[in-house]
Amino acid sequence: MLATGMRRVTPSAIMELIKTTAGGDYLSFASGLPDPTLFPVEAVRAVADQVLSRDGAAALQYGPAEGYPPLRALVADLLRARGLAAAPEHLLITNGSQQALDLAARALLDPGAPVVIESPSYLAAIQAFDSYDARYLPLPLDEDGMQRDGLATALAAGPRLLYTLPNFQNPTGITLSAERRRRLAEAAARAGVPVLEDDAYHDLRYDGESLPTVCGLAANPHALYAGTFSKVIAPGLRVGYLWGAPALIERLAQLKQITDLHTGSLTQRIVHAFCLAGHLEPAIERFRSVYRRRRDALLAALAAELGDHATWTRPAGGMFVWVTLRPEIDAQELLTRALEAGVLFVPGGGFHPGGGGANTLRLTFVSLDEERIREGVKRLARLIRHPQAAR
Amino acid sequence: MLATGMRRVTPSAIMELIKTTAGGDYLSFASGLPDPTLFPVEAVRAVADQVLSRDGAAALQYGPAEGYPPLRALVADLLRARGLAAAPEHLLITNGSQQALDLAARALLDPGAPVVIESPSYLAAIQAFDSYDARYLPLPLDEDGMQRDGLATALAAGPRLLYTLPNFQNPTGITLSAERRRRLAEAAARAGVPVLEDDAYHDLRYDGESLPTVCGLAANPHALYAGTFSKVIAPGLRVGYLWGAPALIERLAQLKQITDLHTGSLTQRIVHAFCLAGHLEPAIERFRSVYRRRRDALLAALAAELGDHATWTRPAGGMFVWVTLRPEIDAQELLTRALEAGVLFVPGGGFHPGGGGANTLRLTFVSLDEERIREGVKRLARLIRHPQAAR
C-alpha cells in the first residue's frame, strides 16, 4: 500500500542501536546525544516563564510559516557574523536543522536526481535524500575535507544538490579548509548547482578561528545554509533554520506550511528570549569547554591504547572522532563484541552513500565524562588489539 | 531548479489574505484563529514551570521519533474513549495534525495517485495532497456529510487514500451521520482503501452526542486517524497525533524521524503534564461554551440579515459555517467589496478539489465576540443584498 518512495525509508541503524540498548549500562560513544547535565535548564525555565507571563496568548497562537519575526531577525544577525548576507526574509525557522535538510531535499530533488555528497556523510541527511530516491555522486574526504579530485566531473553530471558539512563534519569531525571552501563555492555557483551547507556544529569550535561559510563565498541564488540551536541551547526544543535567497525561502515556507504550518510559537519565543537575555554566549562557552576536554581525553586515550592498531581524525570542534581500523577488521562484527563488553559506537558503513567503510567507526566524545571515555577506549582497544582472545 | 512536485505548491489563499490584511482593523470571519483570550495561559505556564523544574534535562534532550512514551499512552486513553482500539504503539506524536496529514500522504501517495475526498474539503490537506501530485475523486456533501452516490464508483477506481473530516467538517461544519460512517468504514475496508480520518474538531461539540469514529467501525489495517491538541489547549504548541496499526505507525515513525527527528520534547511534556493535572476538561469546556454562544450568534445574525438571500449550514460543533449565495454572486468579487467594508471571510472556491463553488464562502465564528459577529454579518449582508449600491 505504501508509496514507492518508502522503499528506501528504513530504520536508522543509530536509532535501532539506541533502542536495543536502552536501559542497559553501557559506555556509549554511539549517539551524539549531548550530555543533558550541560543544558541551560534554569535559564530556559526563567525565559519560558517570562514568555508565558508577558506574552502568553501570542506564544500559544498560530504563527507565520516563515517563523516568529523577531527570531528571524535575531538569526539574521547571527548569520551576518558568519559572513552571510542575511536579513529576516532570508530565513525560514524549522524544527531543528533536520527539517531544514528535509525541506530543501523535498523542494529540489526529483526521483533519481543526482546529489554530490561527501563520503562518509551525515546519516539522517542520507536517509532524507534516500526518501526522495536520490542517486549519489560521492566524493571522498581527506584531512582538509571533500577532495577536489572528482568535483569537476561530479558538477558536470548535472546534480540537483551538493550537500556539505564544512565544520567538524558528522561523522568524521573533519573541517573543510578555507581554500577548498572558496573553490567549492565558486565551482558550484559556476555550474548552477544548489549548495546545501549544513553547519549544525558551527559554534562548537575548540581550536583556531572560524572559517568563512561556503554560502558566503560565491553568489549562488540556489545556495542554502542550515543551522540549529540544538547544539548550543538544547535539541529537545527543536528549533533550527534555513537560510537562502528570499525568493527560494518563500517557496520553502509554502512547503513548510503544508508540512506542519509552522515551528512552535512557544519554543521559538523561548529561543528568542534566551538569546535576548544574554544566555547564548555562556551556554556555548559551557558546552565548548566541557566538550574540548572530552575531545582531548578521547584523543589521548586513543593514542595511548590504539597507536599501532588504528588511525583517527583530530577534530577542531564538533562531537565526533572517526576511527579507521586495519582493513581486516569489520566494525559491525566489532560492535557485537563491544556490546558484550558494555561499549557502544556506530559502525561506519552506514555513513557511506556509495558503500564501503566496513573497517571504520564513529566515536562521539560528548556523552561521557573523561574517566568513562578512558575506560570505554580501554575496553574497545582490548577488542581491537586481540580480536580472538576477546571472544 | 525546483522539483516537479513544487509545481502544485502554491501560496495558501487564506494565508495570503491574512498577510495582506495584517495590522488592519477588520471584522474577521476568515482564518479560524482561535480567540487567544481563551487559551489556558496560566495553566500552561504552571505546567511548563513544573516540567522544567522537575524534569528539565530530559525535557530538553532528544527523544524517540514516535513521541514521548507517557504522552503516547495518554493519547491512547483518550482515543479508547472515542471507540478506537488504541495502545501506545498505535500512536505517533506529530507537530499538530497538519504534520499527521502530510506524513500520511507522503507515505501513501505516489504521483498521480487517486484520492477520494469530500468536496469541499480542508484547504491545507488539499495543498499537502497536491504537493504529492494527487488526482482527486471528489464526492459532494449534503447535510449528512459525504454523499453515498458515487462512493462505490470512487472506491472501485483504486484510490490510494480516502480523506474525510467526519465531525464539523472544515470548511462546511457538516457532520457525517452515524449510518454513513458505518457504511463508509465498511466499504473502504472491503475495498482495501486506506481511510485518513481527520478529527481535529472532535471535542468542540456543542449539541448532541459524540458519534463513533469511522476508523473504529471496521477493521481496516490501513486506516489512519489524525487528531490534535491545537483546538483544546493551544495551536502554538504544535502537538497532534496520528493513530494507526502498529506496523504502519512504525513505518510512519521512520518517516517522521527523517522529517524532523521528533516532536519537541518540552512541548510534548507540557501537553502531558497539562492533561495529567486535570486542566484538559476545563479548557475544553471553556472553548465549548464560548464558541457555542458565538455559533448561535452567527446563525441568528444570518437568519435575521440574509434569510432570503443565502442558505447556510447549522453546525453541531467546530469552528465554521458554510454559506451558499445566489448562483450569480461571486464570493471572490464579494471579498473585494467586503475588504472595503472592513470584513474578512474566505471564498469557497479554493476548498473544492474538483473546482466549482464560486458562490460559496466560509465563515468562522471563533475569532469574534457576539457583538462583532452581528456587526460583521450586517455589513456583509448589505453587500450581498445590494450588490450594486454597495460599490
Side-chain angles (χ1 to χ4, degrees):
Chain A
M1 289 311 276
L2 298 181
T4 315
M6 291 296 285
R7 268 184 305 116
R8 289 175 64 187
V9 174
T10 52
S12 152
I14 299 179
M15 293 307 226
E16 292 304 295
L17 182 61
I18 292 170
K19 272 189 202 169
T20 323
T21 56
D25 185 23
Y26 292 98
L27 296 171
S28 178
F29 297 103
S31 67
L33 283 188
D35 183 338
T37 65
L38 301 178
F39 293 150
V41 176
E42 262 316 295
V44 170
R45 202 185 62 74
V47 298
D49 197 69
Q50 188 193 88
V51 163
L52 284 164
S53 300
R54 288 191 195 163
D55 204 17
L60 297 180
Q61 184 60 290
Y62 287 113
E66 293 82 356
Y68 175 52
L71 182 60
R72 294 173 82 196
L74 186 145
V75 174
D77 290 345
L78 291 176
L79 296 191
R80 277 198 302 279
R82 297 182 191 176
L84 288 170
E89 62 268 27
H90 288 88
L91 285 154
L92 173 65
I93 307 295
T94 57
N95 304 325
S97 56
Q98 183 65 31
Q99 190 182 43
L101 304 182
D102 183 65
L103 288 173
R106 183 165 166 184
L108 293 169
L109 301 183
D110 278 314
V115 171
V116 181
I117 190 165
E118 293 154 354
S119 182
S121 186
Y122 171 49
L123 185 61
I126 297 173
Q127 291 184 292
F129 303 156
D130 278 354
S131 79
Y132 300 106
D133 210 12
R135 189 163 59 77
Y136 297 108
L137 302 169
L139 291 177
L141 300 167
D142 63 23
E143 61 188 4
D144 285 331
M146 187 190 269
Q147 292 185 30
R148 273 161 39 196
D149 295 353
L151 178 62
T153 312
L155 289 176
R160 300 290 292 272
L161 192 64
L162 182 153
Y163 175 64
T164 181
L165 298 106
N167 283 319
F168 335 120
Q169 198 232 24
N170 181 354
T172 62
I174 289 171
T175 293
L176 189 64
S177 71
E179 172 61 14
R180 287 202 192 163
R181 285 174 194 233
R182 197 177 51 74
R183 285 173 181 266
L184 177 63
E186 286 169 358
R190 233 181 356 252
V193 171
V195 167
L196 175 56
E197 179 174 13
D198 181 349
D199 204 9
Y201 307 99
H202 185 93
D203 287 313
L204 298 182
R205 175 176 276 278
Y206 316 128
D207 308 321
E209 291 296 308
S210 185
L211 295 175
T213 58
V214 175
C215 285
L217 287 170
N220 182 340
H222 306 296
L224 292 166
Y225 175 94
T228 182
F229 290 96
S230 290
K231 317 299 177 190
V232 290
I233 303 180
L237 295 173
R238 310 303 308 125
V239 179
Y241 47 85
L242 188 60
W243 170 97
L248 186 52
I249 288 296
E250 196 180 325
R251 297 290 281 142
L252 285 155
Q254 291 161 9
L255 204 51
K256 166 75 179 167
Q257 195 228 318
I258 286 169
T259 305
D260 59 6
L261 302 187
H262 60 84
T263 299
S265 307
L266 176 60
T267 44
Q268 288 189 75
R269 278 164 205 258
I270 288 174
V271 168
H272 177 255
F274 183 94
C275 298
L276 218 65
H279 294 306
L280 186 60
E281 272 309 314
I284 291 174
E285 210 29 73
R286 187 168 178 212
F287 282 114
R288 232 189 234 149
S289 66
V290 173
Y291 290 170
R292 181 190 287 117
R293 285 199 303 273
R294 292 182 180 179
R295 177 205 58 177
D296 292 345
L298 177 58
L299 293 177
L302 287 170
E305 302 286 342
L306 276 172
D308 300 330
H309 299 270
T311 57
W312 54 88
T313 56
R314 280 157 191 82
M319 297 188 161
F320 305 105
V321 167
W322 184 251
V323 178
T324 304
L325 305 168
R326 294 189 305 270
E328 69 273 18
I329 303 189
D330 182 273
Q332 193 66 54
E333 190 269 342
L334 180 68
L335 178 61
T336 312
R337 294 188 289 128
L339 284 168
E340 289 167 25
V343 179
L344 302 183
F345 62 82
V346 183
F351 298 98
H352 291 75
N359 65 325
T360 58
L361 56 95
R362 189 190 76 174
L363 300 179
T364 181
F365 49 82
V366 300
S367 308
L368 300 175
D369 63 26
E370 286 102 303
E371 198 185 315
R372 288 159 66 82
I373 285 174
R374 282 188 287 268
E375 172 59 25
V377 171
K378 253 184 209 151
R379 293 192 203 172
L380 209 52
R382 222 170 295 151
L383 301 176
I384 293 169
R385 285 193 311 247
H386 308 292
Q388 296 316 316
R391 277 184 176 269
Chain B
M1 289 311 274
L2 297 183
T4 315
M6 292 296 286
R7 269 185 304 117
R8 290 173 64 186
V9 173
T10 52
S12 154
I14 299 178
M15 294 307 227
E16 292 304 296
L17 182 62
I18 292 171
K19 272 190 202 167
T20 324
T21 57
D25 185 22
Y26 291 97
L27 297 171
S28 178
F29 297 103
S31 67
L33 282 188
D35 182 339
T37 65
L38 301 177
F39 293 150
V41 175
E42 263 316 296
V44 170
R45 200 186 61 74
V47 299
D49 196 69
Q50 189 192 88
V51 163
L52 284 164
S53 302
R54 288 191 197 166
D55 205 17
L60 297 180
Q61 183 60 289
Y62 287 113
E66 294 82 356
Y68 175 51
L71 182 60
R72 295 173 82 198
L74 186 145
V75 174
D77 290 345
L78 292 176
L79 295 192
R80 278 198 302 279
R82 298 182 190 175
L84 287 171
E89 62 267 29
H90 290 87
L91 286 156
L92 173 67
I93 307 297
T94 56
N95 304 325
S97 56
Q98 183 66 31
Q99 190 183 42
L101 305 182
D102 183 64
L103 288 174
R106 182 164 165 186
L108 292 168
L109 301 183
D110 278 314
V115 171
V116 181
I117 191 165
E118 293 154 355
S119 181
S121 187
Y122 171 49
L123 185 61
I126 297 172
Q127 291 183 292
F129 303 155
D130 277 355
S131 78
Y132 299 106
D133 209 14
R135 190 163 58 78
Y136 297 109
L137 302 169
L139 292 177
L141 299 167
D142 63 24
E143 62 188 4
D144 286 330
M146 188 190 269
Q147 292 184 31
R148 273 160 40 194
D149 296 354
L151 178 61
T153 312
L155 289 176
R160 299 290 293 271
L161 192 65
L162 182 153
Y163 175 65
T164 180
L165 298 107
N167 283 319
F168 336 121
Q169 198 232 23
N170 182 355
T172 63
I174 289 172
T175 293
L176 189 64
S177 72
E179 173 61 14
R180 286 199 192 164
R181 285 174 193 233
R182 199 177 51 75
R183 287 173 180 267
L184 177 62
E186 287 169 358
R190 232 180 358 252
V193 171
V195 167
L196 175 57
E197 179 174 13
D198 182 349
D199 204 9
Y201 306 100
H202 185 93
D203 287 313
L204 298 182
R205 175 176 275 279
Y206 316 128
D207 309 322
E209 292 295 309
S210 185
L211 294 175
T213 57
V214 174
C215 286
L217 287 170
N220 183 339
H222 307 295
L224 292 166
Y225 176 94
T228 182
F229 290 96
S230 290
K231 317 299 176 187
V232 290
I233 303 180
L237 295 173
R238 309 305 307 125
V239 178
Y241 47 86
L242 188 60
W243 169 98
L248 186 52
I249 288 298
E250 196 180 325
R251 297 290 280 145
L252 285 155
Q254 291 161 9
L255 204 52
K256 165 75 179 167
Q257 195 227 318
I258 286 168
T259 306
D260 59 7
L261 302 188
H262 61 84
T263 299
S265 306
L266 176 61
T267 46
Q268 289 190 76
R269 279 163 204 258
I270 288 174
V271 167
H272 177 255
F274 184 94
C275 297
L276 218 67
H279 293 308
L280 186 61
E281 272 311 313
I284 291 173
E285 209 30 73
R286 187 168 179 211
F287 283 114
R288 231 188 234 149
S289 66
V290 173
Y291 289 170
R292 181 190 287 118
R293 286 201 302 274
R294 291 180 181 180
R295 177 205 57 176
D296 293 345
L298 177 58
L299 292 177
L302 288 169
E305 302 287 341
L306 276 173
D308 300 330
H309 299 270
T311 57
W312 55 87
T313 55
R314 280 156 190 83
M319 297 187 159
F320 305 106
V321 167
W322 183 251
V323 178
T324 304
L325 305 168
R326 295 189 306 270
E328 70 271 19
I329 303 188
D330 182 273
Q332 193 67 54
E333 189 271 340
L334 180 68
L335 178 62
T336 312
R337 294 188 290 128
L339 284 169
E340 290 168 24
V343 180
L344 302 183
F345 62 84
V346 183
F351 297 98
H352 290 77
N359 66 324
T360 59
L361 57 95
R362 190 190 75 173
L363 300 179
T364 182
F365 49 83
V366 300
S367 307
L368 300 175
D369 64 25
E370 287 103 301
E371 197 185 315
R372 287 159 66 83
I373 285 174
R374 281 187 287 269
E375 173 59 24
V377 171
K378 254 185 207 148
R379 292 192 202 171
L380 209 52
R382 222 171 294 150
L383 302 176
I384 292 170
R385 285 193 313 249
H386 308 292
Q388 296 317 315
R391 279 186 173 269

Tab-separated table of all heavy atoms in Angstrom, chain B residues 241-278:
chain	number	residue	atom	x	y	z
B	241	TYR	N	-1.397	14.142	16.738
B	241	TYR	CA	-1.063	12.713	16.724
B	241	TYR	C	-1.718	12.016	15.550
B	241	TYR	O	-2.686	12.512	14.961
B	241	TYR	CB	-1.493	12.048	18.043
B	241	TYR	CG	-2.900	12.398	18.475
B	241	TYR	CD1	-3.999	11.684	18.005
B	241	TYR	CD2	-3.120	13.473	19.344
B	241	TYR	CE1	-5.292	12.026	18.389
B	241	TYR	CE2	-4.413	13.825	19.733
B	241	TYR	CZ	-5.492	13.088	19.259
B	241	TYR	OH	-6.767	13.436	19.628
B	242	LEU	N	-1.143	10.852	15.243
B	242	LEU	CA	-1.661	10.006	14.179
B	242	LEU	C	-1.802	8.604	14.761
B	242	LEU	O	-0.852	8.066	15.336
B	242	LEU	CB	-0.681	10.013	12.999
B	242	LEU	CG	-1.132	9.330	11.711
B	242	LEU	CD1	-2.390	9.977	11.148
B	242	LEU	CD2	-0.019	9.405	10.662
B	243	TRP	N	-3.005	8.040	14.616
B	243	TRP	CA	-3.287	6.682	15.099
B	243	TRP	C	-3.354	5.745	13.902
B	243	TRP	O	-3.886	6.129	12.844
B	243	TRP	CB	-4.633	6.690	15.837
B	243	TRP	CG	-5.187	5.323	16.171
B	243	TRP	CD1	-5.083	4.673	17.361
B	243	TRP	CD2	-5.958	4.453	15.311
B	243	TRP	NE1	-5.718	3.448	17.287
B	243	TRP	CE2	-6.259	3.290	16.054
B	243	TRP	CE3	-6.403	4.545	13.996
B	243	TRP	CZ2	-6.997	2.225	15.521
B	243	TRP	CZ3	-7.129	3.482	13.455
B	243	TRP	CH2	-7.418	2.347	14.221
B	244	GLY	N	-2.825	4.536	14.064
B	244	GLY	CA	-2.936	3.525	13.018
B	244	GLY	C	-2.437	2.191	13.539
B	244	GLY	O	-1.995	2.089	14.698
B	245	ALA	N	-2.493	1.172	12.695
B	245	ALA	CA	-1.990	-0.149	13.075
B	245	ALA	C	-0.498	-0.020	13.412
B	245	ALA	O	0.225	0.720	12.733
B	245	ALA	CB	-2.198	-1.138	11.937
B	246	PRO	N	-0.023	-0.728	14.436
B	246	PRO	CA	1.378	-0.579	14.858
B	246	PRO	C	2.391	-0.746	13.723
B	246	PRO	O	3.370	0.001	13.668
B	246	PRO	CB	1.530	-1.670	15.927
B	246	PRO	CG	0.169	-1.772	16.528
B	246	PRO	CD	-0.788	-1.575	15.379
B	247	ALA	N	2.154	-1.679	12.804
B	247	ALA	CA	3.123	-1.882	11.711
B	247	ALA	C	3.203	-0.642	10.821
B	247	ALA	O	4.288	-0.265	10.349
B	247	ALA	CB	2.727	-3.104	10.881
B	248	LEU	N	2.069	-0.008	10.581
B	248	LEU	CA	2.034	1.197	9.751
B	248	LEU	C	2.623	2.394	10.511
B	248	LEU	O	3.377	3.197	9.947
B	248	LEU	CB	0.583	1.466	9.323
B	248	LEU	CG	0.316	2.590	8.343
B	248	LEU	CD1	1.174	2.491	7.091
B	248	LEU	CD2	-1.174	2.623	7.960
B	249	ILE	N	2.308	2.493	11.787
B	249	ILE	CA	2.845	3.586	12.619
B	249	ILE	C	4.373	3.490	12.695
B	249	ILE	O	5.070	4.512	12.673
B	249	ILE	CB	2.196	3.555	14.029
B	249	ILE	CG1	0.740	4.020	13.933
B	249	ILE	CG2	2.978	4.403	15.040
B	249	ILE	CD1	0.531	5.450	13.448
B	250	GLU	N	4.886	2.272	12.741
B	250	GLU	CA	6.343	2.089	12.773
B	250	GLU	C	6.979	2.668	11.511
B	250	GLU	O	8.006	3.357	11.574
B	250	GLU	CB	6.636	0.593	12.887
B	250	GLU	CG	8.055	0.292	13.320
B	250	GLU	CD	8.311	-1.220	13.417
B	250	GLU	OE1	7.389	-1.976	13.801
B	250	GLU	OE2	9.433	-1.630	13.060
B	251	ARG	N	6.356	2.429	10.362
B	251	ARG	CA	6.875	2.982	9.102
B	251	ARG	C	6.753	4.503	9.094
B	251	ARG	O	7.648	5.212	8.626
B	251	ARG	CB	6.106	2.395	7.903
B	251	ARG	CG	6.261	0.890	7.749
B	251	ARG	CD	7.668	0.516	7.309
B	251	ARG	NE	7.821	0.711	5.883
B	251	ARG	CZ	8.959	1.125	5.314
B	251	ARG	NH1	10.010	1.409	6.050
B	251	ARG	NH2	9.022	1.260	4.006
B	252	LEU	N	5.628	5.002	9.598
B	252	LEU	CA	5.431	6.454	9.632
B	252	LEU	C	6.412	7.118	10.597
B	252	LEU	O	6.842	8.256	10.371
B	252	LEU	CB	3.978	6.777	9.991
B	252	LEU	CG	3.021	6.526	8.829
B	252	LEU	CD1	1.611	6.245	9.313
B	252	LEU	CD2	3.010	7.728	7.884
B	253	ALA	N	6.780	6.423	11.665
B	253	ALA	CA	7.759	6.974	12.610
B	253	ALA	C	9.132	7.069	11.948
B	253	ALA	O	9.893	8.005	12.223
B	253	ALA	CB	7.823	6.124	13.876
B	254	GLN	N	9.462	6.126	11.078
B	254	GLN	CA	10.729	6.223	10.333
B	254	GLN	C	10.715	7.472	9.453
B	254	GLN	O	11.720	8.180	9.314
B	254	GLN	CB	10.949	4.968	9.485
B	254	GLN	CG	11.235	3.719	10.324
B	254	GLN	CD	11.009	2.428	9.558
B	254	GLN	OE1	10.796	2.431	8.346
B	254	GLN	NE2	11.050	1.303	10.259
B	255	LEU	N	9.563	7.741	8.862
B	255	LEU	CA	9.412	8.926	8.022
B	255	LEU	C	9.495	10.199	8.873
B	255	LEU	O	10.144	11.181	8.497
B	255	LEU	CB	8.061	8.836	7.312
B	255	LEU	CG	7.872	9.582	6.010
B	255	LEU	CD1	8.951	9.281	5.003
B	255	LEU	CD2	6.492	9.237	5.416
B	256	LYS	N	8.837	10.173	10.010
B	256	LYS	CA	8.877	11.308	10.942
B	256	LYS	C	10.326	11.603	11.355
B	256	LYS	O	10.745	12.760	11.408
B	256	LYS	CB	8.024	10.960	12.164
B	256	LYS	CG	8.202	11.838	13.391
B	256	LYS	CD	7.549	13.194	13.272
B	256	LYS	CE	7.749	14.013	14.553
B	256	LYS	NZ	7.402	15.423	14.375
B	257	GLN	N	11.103	10.554	11.591
B	257	GLN	CA	12.496	10.747	12.016
B	257	GLN	C	13.311	11.452	10.930
B	257	GLN	O	14.098	12.350	11.198
B	257	GLN	CB	13.116	9.392	12.348
B	257	GLN	CG	14.421	9.528	13.135
B	257	GLN	CD	15.506	8.665	12.569
B	257	GLN	OE1	15.265	7.513	12.201
B	257	GLN	NE2	16.704	9.207	12.479
B	258	ILE	N	13.087	11.046	9.700
B	258	ILE	CA	13.757	11.678	8.561
B	258	ILE	C	13.346	13.142	8.425
B	258	ILE	O	14.132	14.010	8.071
B	258	ILE	CB	13.381	10.926	7.269
B	258	ILE	CG1	14.112	9.601	7.222
B	258	ILE	CG2	13.674	11.771	6.033
B	258	ILE	CD1	13.575	8.682	6.150
B	259	THR	N	12.066	13.392	8.721
B	259	THR	CA	11.483	14.716	8.516
B	259	THR	C	12.003	15.748	9.514
B	259	THR	O	12.383	16.845	9.129
B	259	THR	CB	9.952	14.610	8.637
B	259	THR	OG1	9.510	13.610	7.728
B	259	THR	CG2	9.277	15.907	8.339
B	260	ASP	N	11.970	15.402	10.801
B	260	ASP	CA	12.434	16.372	11.799
B	260	ASP	C	12.828	15.712	13.123
B	260	ASP	O	12.747	16.358	14.168
B	260	ASP	CB	11.387	17.475	12.030
B	260	ASP	CG	10.048	16.924	12.499
B	260	ASP	OD1	9.953	15.720	12.770
B	260	ASP	OD2	9.090	17.724	12.600
B	261	LEU	N	13.244	14.456	13.054
B	261	LEU	CA	13.676	13.641	14.204
B	261	LEU	C	12.518	13.281	15.132
B	261	LEU	O	12.185	12.119	15.290
B	261	LEU	CB	14.828	14.277	14.982
B	261	LEU	CG	16.111	14.560	14.190
B	261	LEU	CD1	17.227	15.019	15.151
B	261	LEU	CD2	16.599	13.380	13.355
B	262	HIS	N	11.884	14.278	15.745
B	262	HIS	CA	10.759	14.006	16.641
B	262	HIS	C	10.100	15.325	17.004
B	262	HIS	O	10.685	16.396	16.812
B	262	HIS	CB	11.223	13.266	17.900
B	262	HIS	CG	12.220	14.043	18.726
B	262	HIS	ND1	11.854	14.990	19.650
B	262	HIS	CD2	13.580	14.034	18.739
B	262	HIS	CE1	12.932	15.514	20.206
B	262	HIS	NE2	13.997	14.967	19.655
B	263	THR	N	8.876	15.236	17.536
B	263	THR	CA	8.173	16.426	18.016
B	263	THR	C	8.863	16.910	19.300
B	263	THR	O	9.401	16.106	20.064
B	263	THR	CB	6.695	16.066	18.258
B	263	THR	OG1	6.132	15.653	17.009
B	263	THR	CG2	5.901	17.254	18.786
B	264	GLY	N	8.846	18.217	19.520
B	264	GLY	CA	9.574	18.816	20.636
B	264	GLY	C	9.349	18.115	21.968
B	264	GLY	O	8.211	17.843	22.355
B	265	SER	N	10.450	17.848	22.672
B	265	SER	CA	10.362	17.138	23.958
B	265	SER	C	9.658	17.998	25.005
B	265	SER	O	8.832	17.497	25.773
B	265	SER	CB	11.766	16.803	24.464
B	265	SER	OG	12.492	16.106	23.477
B	266	LEU	N	9.995	19.290	25.021
B	266	LEU	CA	9.394	20.162	26.029
B	266	LEU	C	7.893	20.302	25.810
B	266	LEU	O	7.104	20.155	26.740
B	266	LEU	CB	10.077	21.544	25.983
B	266	LEU	CG	9.480	22.602	26.912
B	266	LEU	CD1	9.578	22.191	28.379
B	266	LEU	CD2	10.176	23.958	26.720
B	267	THR	N	7.492	20.575	24.574
B	267	THR	CA	6.062	20.783	24.326
B	267	THR	C	5.264	19.500	24.552
B	267	THR	O	4.144	19.553	25.065
B	267	THR	CB	5.826	21.331	22.916
B	267	THR	OG1	6.601	20.586	21.994
B	267	THR	CG2	6.216	22.785	22.826
B	268	GLN	N	5.828	18.351	24.201
B	268	GLN	CA	5.123	17.094	24.475
B	268	GLN	C	4.906	16.918	25.970
B	268	GLN	O	3.844	16.484	26.416
B	268	GLN	CB	5.917	15.895	23.952
B	268	GLN	CG	5.941	15.771	22.444
B	268	GLN	CD	6.528	14.431	22.039
B	268	GLN	OE1	5.876	13.399	22.142
B	268	GLN	NE2	7.762	14.432	21.575
B	269	ARG	N	5.944	17.248	26.759
B	269	ARG	CA	5.809	17.096	28.200
B	269	ARG	C	4.850	18.125	28.786
B	269	ARG	O	4.151	17.855	29.756
B	269	ARG	CB	7.184	17.205	28.870
B	269	ARG	CG	7.947	15.903	28.800
B	269	ARG	CD	9.424	16.107	29.065
B	269	ARG	NE	10.178	15.029	28.456
B	269	ARG	CZ	10.685	14.000	29.128
B	269	ARG	NH1	10.548	13.933	30.425
B	269	ARG	NH2	11.324	13.051	28.488
B	270	ILE	N	4.811	19.320	28.206
B	270	ILE	CA	3.841	20.318	28.668
B	270	ILE	C	2.420	19.799	28.439
B	270	ILE	O	1.570	19.862	29.328
B	270	ILE	CB	4.067	21.675	27.956
B	270	ILE	CG1	5.353	22.341	28.478
B	270	ILE	CG2	2.869	22.594	28.131
B	270	ILE	CD1	5.749	23.621	27.744
B	271	VAL	N	2.149	19.263	27.260
B	271	VAL	CA	0.800	18.746	26.965
B	271	VAL	C	0.465	17.603	27.924
B	271	VAL	O	-0.639	17.535	28.479
B	271	VAL	CB	0.699	18.276	25.500
B	271	VAL	CG1	-0.558	17.467	25.264
B	271	VAL	CG2	0.749	19.483	24.562
B	272	HIS	N	1.437	16.707	28.136
B	272	HIS	CA	1.199	15.578	29.029
B	272	HIS	C	0.900	16.062	30.450
B	272	HIS	O	-0.085	15.638	31.074
B	272	HIS	CB	2.428	14.654	29.016
B	272	HIS	CG	2.308	13.507	29.955
B	272	HIS	ND1	2.996	13.450	31.142
B	272	HIS	CD2	1.553	12.381	29.901
B	272	HIS	CE1	2.684	12.326	31.774
B	272	HIS	NE2	1.813	11.654	31.041
B	273	ALA	N	1.724	16.971	30.959
B	273	ALA	CA	1.539	17.457	32.332
B	273	ALA	C	0.232	18.239	32.458
B	273	ALA	O	-0.453	18.169	33.490
B	273	ALA	CB	2.730	18.326	32.738
B	274	PHE	N	-0.116	18.977	31.408
B	274	PHE	CA	-1.373	19.741	31.388
B	274	PHE	C	-2.566	18.804	31.576
B	274	PHE	O	-3.458	19.055	32.389
B	274	PHE	CB	-1.457	20.471	30.045
B	274	PHE	CG	-2.645	21.380	29.876
B	274	PHE	CD1	-2.546	22.730	30.185
B	274	PHE	CD2	-3.856	20.906	29.379
B	274	PHE	CE1	-3.628	23.586	30.007
B	274	PHE	CE2	-4.945	21.747	29.206
B	274	PHE	CZ	-4.829	23.095	29.525
B	275	CYS	N	-2.578	17.717	30.831
B	275	CYS	CA	-3.693	16.766	30.917
B	275	CYS	C	-3.685	16.057	32.275
B	275	CYS	O	-4.731	15.885	32.906
B	275	CYS	CB	-3.613	15.740	29.788
B	275	CYS	SG	-3.774	16.482	28.156
B	276	LEU	N	-2.502	15.648	32.709
B	276	LEU	CA	-2.372	14.919	33.968
B	276	LEU	C	-2.846	15.759	35.156
B	276	LEU	O	-3.383	15.232	36.124
B	276	LEU	CB	-0.899	14.534	34.177
B	276	LEU	CG	-0.661	13.173	34.796
B	276	LEU	CD1	-1.110	12.079	33.837
B	276	LEU	CD2	0.814	12.978	35.125
B	277	ALA	N	-2.631	17.071	35.055
B	277	ALA	CA	-3.030	17.957	36.155
B	277	ALA	C	-4.522	18.266	36.120
B	277	ALA	O	-5.016	19.044	36.939
B	277	ALA	CB	-2.215	19.245	36.088
B	278	GLY	N	-5.248	17.666	35.161
B	278	GLY	CA	-6.693	17.880	35.119
B	278	GLY	C	-7.118	19.173	34.448
B	278	GLY	O	-8.253	19.617	34.608
